[in-house]
Structures are given as C-alpha cells and as structure tokens.
Amino acid sequence: MALAHSIKNHVEAAYRRGDLLEKCFKLMQQWADFLAIAPAQVENVAPIRDNKVTAE
C-alpha cells in the first residue's frame, strides 16, 4: 500500500488517505529506526564480501 499507484476514484482516495497517512508515518519511523542501527549491531546479516585490501 505504501508504494501503490494513485487512486483515480476521488472518494476512495479520500477514505484511504485518512487511514493510510498514520500507517505511512509509522512505516517511515520504523524505516528510520532500522537505518539508524549500526551494521555491527545487526547479527543476522552476512557481509557480501570482505573489504580487506591485500597487496600482492
């Protein structure tokens, strides 16, 4: 619903806007909280590659 396209029916859009605005604020706060977590604090994420640079 957060990424849904615009609703062409103005009545339906008005009803959805009232309910979804609060949900959107909650979703954005949860996303901001997630982004504020330092990568070292996330235990269930594996690094894609090692960032160590080796000289040959």
Side-chain angles (χ1 to χ4, degrees):
M1 292 300 290
L3 300 175
H5 296 288
S6 62
I7 302 166
K8 294 181 182 181
N9 182 319
H10 296 292
V11 175
E12 184 179 354
Y15 278 106
R16 286 195 182 182
R17 184 171 37 252
D19 183 39
L20 295 180
L21 189 60
E22 182 65 31
K23 290 179 181 179
C24 182
F25 288 144
K26 185 176 179 179
L27 176 66
M28 291 296 107
Q29 185 59 57
Q30 290 173 342
W31 181 243
D33 294 344
F34 173 77
L35 293 177
I37 298 172
Q41 295 174 317
V42 181
E43 297 175 2
N44 62 347
V45 177
I48 294 174
R49 61 182 165 182
D50 190 5
N51 289 332
K52 295 177 185 174
V53 178
T54 58
E56 293 184 28

